[in-house]
Amino acid sequence: MAPIYKGDTSIMRYEKLLKPWIVVRLLPNLQRTVVGRFRSWSDADGHLRVLKQLLPGARLTLLFDPID
């Protein structure tokens, strides 16, 4: 999701503040992609469990993305 700028404030940055839990798919060569952002740990964990059932071969993990 590309950042959308409104004045000097980035909407994407605001979304990161509201949704610090992320589900990440680990890719080869130390690359990663964010699958989803969640407000609570339990929402992120539930989404991760479903993804692991749907994509059994994928390497997925749950991370907390602290505020800069």
PDB file of all heavy atoms in Angstrom, residues 12-48:
ATOM      1  N   MET A  12      -0.419   6.781   5.646  1.00  0.00           N
ATOM      2  CA  MET A  12       0.154   5.465   5.924  1.00  0.00           C
ATOM      3  C   MET A  12       0.830   5.458   7.290  1.00  0.00           C
ATOM      4  O   MET A  12       0.715   4.504   8.034  1.00  0.00           O
ATOM      5  CB  MET A  12       1.143   5.090   4.821  1.00  0.00           C
ATOM      6  CG  MET A  12       1.706   3.724   4.959  1.00  0.00           C
ATOM      7  SD  MET A  12       0.413   2.496   4.826  1.00  0.00           S
ATOM      8  CE  MET A  12       1.356   1.020   4.882  1.00  0.00           C
ATOM      9  N   ARG A  13       1.536   6.526   7.639  1.00  0.00           N
ATOM     10  CA  ARG A  13       2.188   6.616   8.942  1.00  0.00           C
ATOM     11  C   ARG A  13       1.137   6.577  10.043  1.00  0.00           C
ATOM     12  O   ARG A  13       1.327   5.930  11.071  1.00  0.00           O
ATOM     13  CB  ARG A  13       3.032   7.878   9.042  1.00  0.00           C
ATOM     14  CG  ARG A  13       3.669   8.037  10.395  1.00  0.00           C
ATOM     15  CD  ARG A  13       4.857   8.966  10.319  1.00  0.00           C
ATOM     16  NE  ARG A  13       5.315   9.342  11.631  1.00  0.00           N
ATOM     17  CZ  ARG A  13       6.038   8.588  12.428  1.00  0.00           C
ATOM     18  NH1 ARG A  13       6.383   7.379  12.041  1.00  0.00           N
ATOM     19  NH2 ARG A  13       6.430   9.017  13.613  1.00  0.00           N
ATOM     20  N   TYR A  14       0.025   7.259   9.858  1.00  0.00           N
ATOM     21  CA  TYR A  14      -1.044   7.261  10.854  1.00  0.00           C
ATOM     22  C   TYR A  14      -1.624   5.861  11.013  1.00  0.00           C
ATOM     23  O   TYR A  14      -1.914   5.419  12.117  1.00  0.00           O
ATOM     24  CB  TYR A  14      -2.128   8.252  10.448  1.00  0.00           C
ATOM     25  CG  TYR A  14      -3.238   8.381  11.451  1.00  0.00           C
ATOM     26  CD1 TYR A  14      -2.992   8.919  12.707  1.00  0.00           C
ATOM     27  CD2 TYR A  14      -4.517   7.951  11.164  1.00  0.00           C
ATOM     28  CE1 TYR A  14      -3.994   9.040  13.640  1.00  0.00           C
ATOM     29  CE2 TYR A  14      -5.529   8.064  12.086  1.00  0.00           C
ATOM     30  CZ  TYR A  14      -5.263   8.614  13.322  1.00  0.00           C
ATOM     31  OH  TYR A  14      -6.261   8.717  14.246  1.00  0.00           O
ATOM     32  N   GLU A  15      -1.762   5.135   9.903  1.00  0.00           N
ATOM     33  CA  GLU A  15      -2.262   3.761   9.974  1.00  0.00           C
ATOM     34  C   GLU A  15      -1.295   2.884  10.769  1.00  0.00           C
ATOM     35  O   GLU A  15      -1.716   2.029  11.543  1.00  0.00           O
ATOM     36  CB  GLU A  15      -2.455   3.190   8.575  1.00  0.00           C
ATOM     37  CG  GLU A  15      -3.002   1.787   8.588  1.00  0.00           C
ATOM     38  CD  GLU A  15      -3.168   1.176   7.213  1.00  0.00           C
ATOM     39  OE1 GLU A  15      -2.770   1.798   6.231  1.00  0.00           O
ATOM     40  OE2 GLU A  15      -3.697   0.059   7.138  1.00  0.00           O
ATOM     41  N   LYS A  16       0.009   3.098  10.600  1.00  0.00           N
ATOM     42  CA  LYS A  16       0.992   2.330  11.360  1.00  0.00           C
ATOM     43  C   LYS A  16       0.861   2.601  12.851  1.00  0.00           C
ATOM     44  O   LYS A  16       1.069   1.707  13.669  1.00  0.00           O
ATOM     45  CB  LYS A  16       2.407   2.668  10.895  1.00  0.00           C
ATOM     46  CG  LYS A  16       2.790   2.045   9.592  1.00  0.00           C
ATOM     47  CD  LYS A  16       4.240   2.366   9.264  1.00  0.00           C
ATOM     48  CE  LYS A  16       4.667   1.712   7.981  1.00  0.00           C
ATOM     49  NZ  LYS A  16       6.074   1.984   7.688  1.00  0.00           N
ATOM     50  N   LEU A  17       0.546   3.828  13.215  1.00  0.00           N
ATOM     51  CA  LEU A  17       0.366   4.156  14.629  1.00  0.00           C
ATOM     52  C   LEU A  17      -0.825   3.416  15.212  1.00  0.00           C
ATOM     53  O   LEU A  17      -0.802   2.995  16.359  1.00  0.00           O
ATOM     54  CB  LEU A  17       0.166   5.666  14.811  1.00  0.00           C
ATOM     55  CG  LEU A  17       1.355   6.551  14.473  1.00  0.00           C
ATOM     56  CD1 LEU A  17       0.954   8.022  14.549  1.00  0.00           C
ATOM     57  CD2 LEU A  17       2.513   6.265  15.395  1.00  0.00           C
ATOM     58  N   LEU A  18      -1.875   3.259  14.425  1.00  0.00           N
ATOM     59  CA  LEU A  18      -3.096   2.608  14.902  1.00  0.00           C
ATOM     60  C   LEU A  18      -3.013   1.085  14.854  1.00  0.00           C
ATOM     61  O   LEU A  18      -3.717   0.412  15.603  1.00  0.00           O
ATOM     62  CB  LEU A  18      -4.294   3.060  14.069  1.00  0.00           C
ATOM     63  CG  LEU A  18      -4.713   4.510  14.231  1.00  0.00           C
ATOM     64  CD1 LEU A  18      -5.885   4.810  13.305  1.00  0.00           C
ATOM     65  CD2 LEU A  18      -5.055   4.835  15.661  1.00  0.00           C
ATOM     66  N   LYS A  19      -2.197   0.563  13.979  1.00  0.00           N
ATOM     67  CA  LYS A  19      -2.143  -0.887  13.760  1.00  0.00           C
ATOM     68  C   LYS A  19      -0.712  -1.384  13.858  1.00  0.00           C
ATOM     69  O   LYS A  19      -0.050  -1.609  12.844  1.00  0.00           O
ATOM     70  CB  LYS A  19      -2.748  -1.225  12.404  1.00  0.00           C
ATOM     71  CG  LYS A  19      -4.194  -0.813  12.281  1.00  0.00           C
ATOM     72  CD  LYS A  19      -4.753  -1.119  10.924  1.00  0.00           C
ATOM     73  CE  LYS A  19      -6.214  -0.722  10.858  1.00  0.00           C
ATOM     74  NZ  LYS A  19      -6.756  -0.949   9.531  1.00  0.00           N
ATOM     75  N   PRO A  20      -0.210  -1.571  15.088  1.00  0.00           N
ATOM     76  CA  PRO A  20       1.205  -1.937  15.237  1.00  0.00           C
ATOM     77  C   PRO A  20       1.530  -3.413  15.025  1.00  0.00           C
ATOM     78  O   PRO A  20       2.690  -3.771  14.885  1.00  0.00           O
ATOM     79  CB  PRO A  20       1.501  -1.538  16.680  1.00  0.00           C
ATOM     80  CG  PRO A  20       0.194  -1.712  17.378  1.00  0.00           C
ATOM     81  CD  PRO A  20      -0.849  -1.332  16.370  1.00  0.00           C
ATOM     82  N   TRP A  21       0.539  -4.305  15.010  1.00  0.00           N
ATOM     83  CA  TRP A  21       0.804  -5.742  14.822  1.00  0.00           C
ATOM     84  C   TRP A  21       0.745  -6.075  13.350  1.00  0.00           C
ATOM     85  O   TRP A  21      -0.216  -5.737  12.665  1.00  0.00           O
ATOM     86  CB  TRP A  21      -0.216  -6.580  15.590  1.00  0.00           C
ATOM     87  CG  TRP A  21      -0.023  -6.446  17.062  1.00  0.00           C
ATOM     88  CD1 TRP A  21      -0.731  -5.651  17.901  1.00  0.00           C
ATOM     89  CD2 TRP A  21       0.956  -7.102  17.862  1.00  0.00           C
ATOM     90  NE1 TRP A  21      -0.254  -5.778  19.185  1.00  0.00           N
ATOM     91  CE2 TRP A  21       0.784  -6.668  19.188  1.00  0.00           C
ATOM     92  CE3 TRP A  21       1.962  -8.016  17.595  1.00  0.00           C
ATOM     93  CZ2 TRP A  21       1.579  -7.118  20.229  1.00  0.00           C
ATOM     94  CZ3 TRP A  21       2.756  -8.457  18.628  1.00  0.00           C
ATOM     95  CH2 TRP A  21       2.559  -8.015  19.932  1.00  0.00           C
ATOM     96  N   ILE A  22       1.781  -6.747  12.839  1.00  0.00           N
ATOM     97  CA  ILE A  22       1.822  -7.076  11.416  1.00  0.00           C
ATOM     98  C   ILE A  22       2.067  -8.569  11.209  1.00  0.00           C
ATOM     99  O   ILE A  22       2.771  -9.210  11.979  1.00  0.00           O
ATOM    100  CB  ILE A  22       2.890  -6.258  10.653  1.00  0.00           C
ATOM    101  CG1 ILE A  22       4.282  -6.453  11.261  1.00  0.00           C
ATOM    102  CG2 ILE A  22       2.529  -4.796  10.600  1.00  0.00           C
ATOM    103  CD1 ILE A  22       5.389  -5.765  10.495  1.00  0.00           C
ATOM    104  N   VAL A  23       1.444  -9.104  10.168  1.00  0.00           N
ATOM    105  CA  VAL A  23       1.708 -10.464   9.709  1.00  0.00           C
ATOM    106  C   VAL A  23       2.618 -10.315   8.497  1.00  0.00           C
ATOM    107  O   VAL A  23       2.314  -9.565   7.563  1.00  0.00           O
ATOM    108  CB  VAL A  23       0.411 -11.208   9.334  1.00  0.00           C
ATOM    109  CG1 VAL A  23       0.729 -12.557   8.708  1.00  0.00           C
ATOM    110  CG2 VAL A  23      -0.471 -11.379  10.562  1.00  0.00           C
ATOM    111  N   VAL A  24       3.754 -11.006   8.542  1.00  0.00           N
ATOM    112  CA  VAL A  24       4.777 -10.879   7.513  1.00  0.00           C
ATOM    113  C   VAL A  24       5.008 -12.228   6.856  1.00  0.00           C
ATOM    114  O   VAL A  24       5.071 -13.255   7.532  1.00  0.00           O
ATOM    115  CB  VAL A  24       6.097 -10.364   8.138  1.00  0.00           C
ATOM    116  CG1 VAL A  24       7.209 -10.320   7.120  1.00  0.00           C
ATOM    117  CG2 VAL A  24       5.885  -8.998   8.757  1.00  0.00           C
ATOM    118  N   ARG A  25       5.137 -12.218   5.545  1.00  0.00           N
ATOM    119  CA  ARG A  25       5.523 -13.422   4.802  1.00  0.00           C
ATOM    120  C   ARG A  25       7.008 -13.315   4.505  1.00  0.00           C
ATOM    121  O   ARG A  25       7.470 -12.341   3.909  1.00  0.00           O
ATOM    122  CB  ARG A  25       4.735 -13.544   3.504  1.00  0.00           C
ATOM    123  CG  ARG A  25       5.063 -14.820   2.758  1.00  0.00           C
ATOM    124  CD  ARG A  25       4.151 -15.057   1.605  1.00  0.00           C
ATOM    125  NE  ARG A  25       4.432 -16.363   1.029  1.00  0.00           N
ATOM    126  CZ  ARG A  25       3.771 -16.867   0.022  1.00  0.00           C
ATOM    127  NH1 ARG A  25       2.783 -16.200  -0.523  1.00  0.00           N
ATOM    128  NH2 ARG A  25       4.082 -18.057  -0.449  1.00  0.00           N
ATOM    129  N   LEU A  26       7.766 -14.299   4.958  1.00  0.00           N
ATOM    130  CA  LEU A  26       9.215 -14.315   4.752  1.00  0.00           C
ATOM    131  C   LEU A  26       9.530 -14.932   3.396  1.00  0.00           C
ATOM    132  O   LEU A  26       9.047 -16.010   3.075  1.00  0.00           O
ATOM    133  CB  LEU A  26       9.887 -15.101   5.871  1.00  0.00           C
ATOM    134  CG  LEU A  26       9.578 -14.599   7.280  1.00  0.00           C
ATOM    135  CD1 LEU A  26      10.142 -15.555   8.307  1.00  0.00           C
ATOM    136  CD2 LEU A  26      10.097 -13.197   7.487  1.00  0.00           C
ATOM    137  N   LEU A  27      10.340 -14.237   2.628  1.00  0.00           N
ATOM    138  CA  LEU A  27      10.696 -14.646   1.279  1.00  0.00           C
ATOM    139  C   LEU A  27      12.180 -14.979   1.215  1.00  0.00           C
ATOM    140  O   LEU A  27      12.934 -14.653   2.142  1.00  0.00           O
ATOM    141  CB  LEU A  27      10.357 -13.517   0.295  1.00  0.00           C
ATOM    142  CG  LEU A  27       8.894 -13.069   0.290  1.00  0.00           C
ATOM    143  CD1 LEU A  27       8.743 -11.808  -0.553  1.00  0.00           C
ATOM    144  CD2 LEU A  27       7.995 -14.164  -0.224  1.00  0.00           C
ATOM    145  N   PRO A  28      12.633 -15.599   0.125  1.00  0.00           N
ATOM    146  CA  PRO A  28      14.063 -15.910  -0.005  1.00  0.00           C
ATOM    147  C   PRO A  28      14.921 -14.640  -0.007  1.00  0.00           C
ATOM    148  O   PRO A  28      14.432 -13.538  -0.253  1.00  0.00           O
ATOM    149  CB  PRO A  28      14.149 -16.619  -1.355  1.00  0.00           C
ATOM    150  CG  PRO A  28      12.776 -17.084  -1.651  1.00  0.00           C
ATOM    151  CD  PRO A  28      11.849 -16.122  -0.978  1.00  0.00           C
ATOM    152  N   ASN A  29      16.198 -14.811   0.258  1.00  0.00           N
ATOM    153  CA  ASN A  29      17.193 -13.726   0.256  1.00  0.00           C
ATOM    154  C   ASN A  29      16.869 -12.631   1.265  1.00  0.00           C
ATOM    155  O   ASN A  29      17.048 -11.444   1.004  1.00  0.00           O
ATOM    156  CB  ASN A  29      17.342 -13.124  -1.140  1.00  0.00           C
ATOM    157  CG  ASN A  29      17.859 -14.124  -2.142  1.00  0.00           C
ATOM    158  OD1 ASN A  29      18.656 -14.991  -1.808  1.00  0.00           O
ATOM    159  ND2 ASN A  29      17.382 -14.050  -3.363  1.00  0.00           N
ATOM    160  N   LEU A  30      16.369 -13.037   2.437  1.00  0.00           N
ATOM    161  CA  LEU A  30      16.064 -12.119   3.542  1.00  0.00           C
ATOM    162  C   LEU A  30      15.067 -11.026   3.169  1.00  0.00           C
ATOM    163  O   LEU A  30      15.079  -9.950   3.733  1.00  0.00           O
ATOM    164  CB  LEU A  30      17.356 -11.494   4.090  1.00  0.00           C
ATOM    165  CG  LEU A  30      18.362 -12.474   4.679  1.00  0.00           C
ATOM    166  CD1 LEU A  30      19.633 -11.748   5.068  1.00  0.00           C
ATOM    167  CD2 LEU A  30      17.781 -13.208   5.864  1.00  0.00           C
ATOM    168  N   GLN A  31      14.216 -11.305   2.208  1.00  0.00           N
ATOM    169  CA  GLN A  31      13.168 -10.352   1.850  1.00  0.00           C
ATOM    170  C   GLN A  31      11.902 -10.708   2.603  1.00  0.00           C
ATOM    171  O   GLN A  31      11.744 -11.831   3.079  1.00  0.00           O
ATOM    172  CB  GLN A  31      12.915 -10.377   0.345  1.00  0.00           C
ATOM    173  CG  GLN A  31      14.092  -9.900  -0.454  1.00  0.00           C
ATOM    174  CD  GLN A  31      13.810  -9.957  -1.937  1.00  0.00           C
ATOM    175  OE1 GLN A  31      12.772 -10.437  -2.367  1.00  0.00           O
ATOM    176  NE2 GLN A  31      14.739  -9.469  -2.728  1.00  0.00           N
ATOM    177  N   ARG A  32      10.999  -9.736   2.720  1.00  0.00           N
ATOM    178  CA  ARG A  32       9.724  -9.960   3.401  1.00  0.00           C
ATOM    179  C   ARG A  32       8.658  -9.053   2.804  1.00  0.00           C
ATOM    180  O   ARG A  32       8.962  -8.039   2.192  1.00  0.00           O
ATOM    181  CB  ARG A  32       9.869  -9.703   4.890  1.00  0.00           C
ATOM    182  CG  ARG A  32      10.157  -8.261   5.222  1.00  0.00           C
ATOM    183  CD  ARG A  32      10.496  -8.084   6.680  1.00  0.00           C
ATOM    184  NE  ARG A  32      10.721  -6.696   6.993  1.00  0.00           N
ATOM    185  CZ  ARG A  32      11.845  -6.027   6.795  1.00  0.00           C
ATOM    186  NH1 ARG A  32      12.861  -6.630   6.241  1.00  0.00           N
ATOM    187  NH2 ARG A  32      11.950  -4.762   7.118  1.00  0.00           N
ATOM    188  N   THR A  33       7.423  -9.443   3.012  1.00  0.00           N
ATOM    189  CA  THR A  33       6.304  -8.614   2.575  1.00  0.00           C
ATOM    190  C   THR A  33       5.260  -8.610   3.679  1.00  0.00           C
ATOM    191  O   THR A  33       4.981  -9.645   4.292  1.00  0.00           O
ATOM    192  CB  THR A  33       5.716  -9.102   1.230  1.00  0.00           C
ATOM    193  OG1 THR A  33       4.727  -8.201   0.810  1.00  0.00           O
ATOM    194  CG2 THR A  33       5.158 -10.493   1.323  1.00  0.00           C
ATOM    195  N   VAL A  34       4.686  -7.451   3.924  1.00  0.00           N
ATOM    196  CA  VAL A  34       3.658  -7.317   4.948  1.00  0.00           C
ATOM    197  C   VAL A  34       2.337  -7.793   4.359  1.00  0.00           C
ATOM    198  O   VAL A  34       1.887  -7.295   3.326  1.00  0.00           O
ATOM    199  CB  VAL A  34       3.540  -5.856   5.442  1.00  0.00           C
ATOM    200  CG1 VAL A  34       2.395  -5.711   6.419  1.00  0.00           C
ATOM    201  CG2 VAL A  34       4.838  -5.420   6.080  1.00  0.00           C
ATOM    202  N   VAL A  35       1.729  -8.775   4.990  1.00  0.00           N
ATOM    203  CA  VAL A  35       0.462  -9.328   4.527  1.00  0.00           C
ATOM    204  C   VAL A  35      -0.709  -8.509   5.078  1.00  0.00           C
ATOM    205  O   VAL A  35      -1.686  -8.277   4.385  1.00  0.00           O
ATOM    206  CB  VAL A  35       0.335 -10.813   4.944  1.00  0.00           C
ATOM    207  CG1 VAL A  35      -1.009 -11.372   4.546  1.00  0.00           C
ATOM    208  CG2 VAL A  35       1.461 -11.624   4.341  1.00  0.00           C
ATOM    209  N   GLY A  36      -0.590  -8.076   6.326  1.00  0.00           N
ATOM    210  CA  GLY A  36      -1.664  -7.294   6.927  1.00  0.00           C
ATOM    211  C   GLY A  36      -1.220  -6.608   8.203  1.00  0.00           C
ATOM    212  O   GLY A  36      -0.263  -7.019   8.845  1.00  0.00           O
ATOM    213  N   ARG A  37      -1.921  -5.527   8.553  1.00  0.00           N
ATOM    214  CA  ARG A  37      -1.689  -4.769   9.786  1.00  0.00           C
ATOM    215  C   ARG A  37      -2.934  -4.867  10.640  1.00  0.00           C
ATOM    216  O   ARG A  37      -4.052  -4.783  10.119  1.00  0.00           O
ATOM    217  CB  ARG A  37      -1.410  -3.303   9.492  1.00  0.00           C
ATOM    218  CG  ARG A  37      -0.127  -3.082   8.772  1.00  0.00           C
ATOM    219  CD  ARG A  37       0.217  -1.588   8.736  1.00  0.00           C
ATOM    220  NE  ARG A  37       1.625  -1.459   8.454  1.00  0.00           N
ATOM    221  CZ  ARG A  37       2.570  -1.481   9.361  1.00  0.00           C
ATOM    222  NH1 ARG A  37       2.260  -1.574  10.627  1.00  0.00           N
ATOM    223  NH2 ARG A  37       3.831  -1.403   9.028  1.00  0.00           N
ATOM    224  N   PHE A  38      -2.732  -4.996  11.962  1.00  0.00           N
ATOM    225  CA  PHE A  38      -3.858  -5.205  12.868  1.00  0.00           C
ATOM    226  C   PHE A  38      -3.692  -4.367  14.126  1.00  0.00           C
ATOM    227  O   PHE A  38      -2.581  -4.106  14.574  1.00  0.00           O
ATOM    228  CB  PHE A  38      -3.955  -6.694  13.231  1.00  0.00           C
ATOM    229  CG  PHE A  38      -4.101  -7.561  12.022  1.00  0.00           C
ATOM    230  CD1 PHE A  38      -2.996  -8.087  11.386  1.00  0.00           C
ATOM    231  CD2 PHE A  38      -5.355  -7.828  11.506  1.00  0.00           C
ATOM    232  CE1 PHE A  38      -3.120  -8.862  10.256  1.00  0.00           C
ATOM    233  CE2 PHE A  38      -5.495  -8.604  10.364  1.00  0.00           C
ATOM    234  CZ  PHE A  38      -4.368  -9.123   9.736  1.00  0.00           C
ATOM    235  N   ARG A  39      -4.818  -3.969  14.682  1.00  0.00           N
ATOM    236  CA  ARG A  39      -4.833  -3.157  15.888  1.00  0.00           C
ATOM    237  C   ARG A  39      -4.482  -3.977  17.124  1.00  0.00           C
ATOM    238  O   ARG A  39      -3.811  -3.506  18.018  1.00  0.00           O
ATOM    239  CB  ARG A  39      -6.208  -2.524  16.055  1.00  0.00           C
ATOM    240  CG  ARG A  39      -6.283  -1.507  17.151  1.00  0.00           C
ATOM    241  CD  ARG A  39      -7.629  -0.839  17.181  1.00  0.00           C
ATOM    242  NE  ARG A  39      -7.855  -0.137  15.938  1.00  0.00           N
ATOM    243  CZ  ARG A  39      -8.111   1.151  15.857  1.00  0.00           C
ATOM    244  NH1 ARG A  39      -8.187   1.871  16.929  1.00  0.00           N
ATOM    245  NH2 ARG A  39      -8.304   1.722  14.697  1.00  0.00           N
ATOM    246  N   SER A  40      -4.942  -5.206  17.183  1.00  0.00           N
ATOM    247  CA  SER A  40      -4.708  -6.023  18.374  1.00  0.00           C
ATOM    248  C   SER A  40      -3.938  -7.299  18.010  1.00  0.00           C
ATOM    249  O   SER A  40      -3.995  -7.791  16.876  1.00  0.00           O
ATOM    250  CB  SER A  40      -6.027  -6.399  19.042  1.00  0.00           C
ATOM    251  OG  SER A  40      -6.736  -7.308  18.248  1.00  0.00           O
ATOM    252  N   TRP A  41      -3.234  -7.829  19.027  1.00  0.00           N
ATOM    253  CA  TRP A  41      -2.478  -9.057  18.835  1.00  0.00           C
ATOM    254  C   TRP A  41      -3.418 -10.215  18.487  1.00  0.00           C
ATOM    255  O   TRP A  41      -3.099 -11.042  17.628  1.00  0.00           O
ATOM    256  CB  TRP A  41      -1.686  -9.394  20.101  1.00  0.00           C
ATOM    257  CG  TRP A  41      -0.972 -10.700  19.991  1.00  0.00           C
ATOM    258  CD1 TRP A  41       0.248 -10.906  19.451  1.00  0.00           C
ATOM    259  CD2 TRP A  41      -1.463 -11.982  20.388  1.00  0.00           C
ATOM    260  NE1 TRP A  41       0.563 -12.238  19.498  1.00  0.00           N
ATOM    261  CE2 TRP A  41      -0.480 -12.930  20.069  1.00  0.00           C
ATOM    262  CE3 TRP A  41      -2.631 -12.424  20.980  1.00  0.00           C
ATOM    263  CZ2 TRP A  41      -0.624 -14.280  20.326  1.00  0.00           C
ATOM    264  CZ3 TRP A  41      -2.778 -13.770  21.234  1.00  0.00           C
ATOM    265  CH2 TRP A  41      -1.777 -14.678  20.910  1.00  0.00           C
ATOM    266  N   SER A  42      -4.561 -10.285  19.138  1.00  0.00           N
ATOM    267  CA  SER A  42      -5.465 -11.414  18.908  1.00  0.00           C
ATOM    268  C   SER A  42      -6.013 -11.417  17.479  1.00  0.00           C
ATOM    269  O   SER A  42      -6.171 -12.486  16.879  1.00  0.00           O
ATOM    270  CB  SER A  42      -6.610 -11.418  19.922  1.00  0.00           C
ATOM    271  OG  SER A  42      -7.377 -10.252  19.802  1.00  0.00           O
ATOM    272  N   ASP A  43      -6.291 -10.249  16.917  1.00  0.00           N
ATOM    273  CA  ASP A  43      -6.732 -10.188  15.518  1.00  0.00           C
ATOM    274  C   ASP A  43      -5.623 -10.676  14.582  1.00  0.00           C
ATOM    275  O   ASP A  43      -5.877 -11.441  13.653  1.00  0.00           O
ATOM    276  CB  ASP A  43      -7.128  -8.763  15.136  1.00  0.00           C
ATOM    277  CG  ASP A  43      -8.435  -8.322  15.739  1.00  0.00           C
ATOM    278  OD1 ASP A  43      -9.184  -9.181  16.261  1.00  0.00           O
ATOM    279  OD2 ASP A  43      -8.724  -7.107  15.695  1.00  0.00           O
ATOM    280  N   ALA A  44      -4.409 -10.211  14.837  1.00  0.00           N
ATOM    281  CA  ALA A  44      -3.277 -10.608  13.992  1.00  0.00           C
ATOM    282  C   ALA A  44      -3.012 -12.108  14.108  1.00  0.00           C
ATOM    283  O   ALA A  44      -2.764 -12.785  13.109  1.00  0.00           O
ATOM    284  CB  ALA A  44      -2.038  -9.813  14.389  1.00  0.00           C
ATOM    285  N   ASP A  45      -3.085 -12.644  15.328  1.00  0.00           N
ATOM    286  CA  ASP A  45      -2.845 -14.069  15.543  1.00  0.00           C
ATOM    287  C   ASP A  45      -3.912 -14.919  14.857  1.00  0.00           C
ATOM    288  O   ASP A  45      -3.595 -15.938  14.240  1.00  0.00           O
ATOM    289  CB  ASP A  45      -2.810 -14.371  17.037  1.00  0.00           C
ATOM    290  CG  ASP A  45      -2.410 -15.797  17.316  1.00  0.00           C
ATOM    291  OD1 ASP A  45      -1.339 -16.224  16.819  1.00  0.00           O
ATOM    292  OD2 ASP A  45      -3.149 -16.492  18.034  1.00  0.00           O
ATOM    293  N   GLY A  46      -5.155 -14.503  14.926  1.00  0.00           N
ATOM    294  CA  GLY A  46      -6.230 -15.234  14.253  1.00  0.00           C
ATOM    295  C   GLY A  46      -6.040 -15.241  12.747  1.00  0.00           C
ATOM    296  O   GLY A  46      -6.232 -16.271  12.084  1.00  0.00           O
ATOM    297  N   HIS A  47      -5.656 -14.102  12.192  1.00  0.00           N
ATOM    298  CA  HIS A  47      -5.419 -14.016  10.755  1.00  0.00           C
ATOM    299  C   HIS A  47      -4.229 -14.900  10.363  1.00  0.00           C
ATOM    300  O   HIS A  47      -4.270 -15.580   9.339  1.00  0.00           O
ATOM    301  CB  HIS A  47      -5.153 -12.558  10.373  1.00  0.00           C
ATOM    302  CG  HIS A  47      -5.236 -12.283   8.916  1.00  0.00           C
ATOM    303  ND1 HIS A  47      -6.422 -12.087   8.264  1.00  0.00           N
ATOM    304  CD2 HIS A  47      -4.277 -12.201   7.975  1.00  0.00           C
ATOM    305  CE1 HIS A  47      -6.179 -11.875   6.978  1.00  0.00           C
ATOM    306  NE2 HIS A  47      -4.883 -11.941   6.780  1.00  0.00           N
ATOM    307  N   LEU A  48      -3.194 -14.901  11.189  1.00  0.00           N
ATOM    308  CA  LEU A  48      -2.022 -15.734  10.929  1.00  0.00           C
ATOM    309  C   LEU A  48      -2.382 -17.216  10.913  1.00  0.00           C
ATOM    310  O   LEU A  48      -1.937 -17.967  10.039  1.00  0.00           O
ATOM    311  CB  LEU A  48      -0.952 -15.464  11.989  1.00  0.00           C
ATOM    312  CG  LEU A  48       0.318 -16.286  11.903  1.00  0.00           C
ATOM    313  CD1 LEU A  48       1.071 -16.002  10.614  1.00  0.00           C
ATOM    314  CD2 LEU A  48       1.197 -16.015  13.108  1.00  0.00           C
TER     315      LEU A  48
END
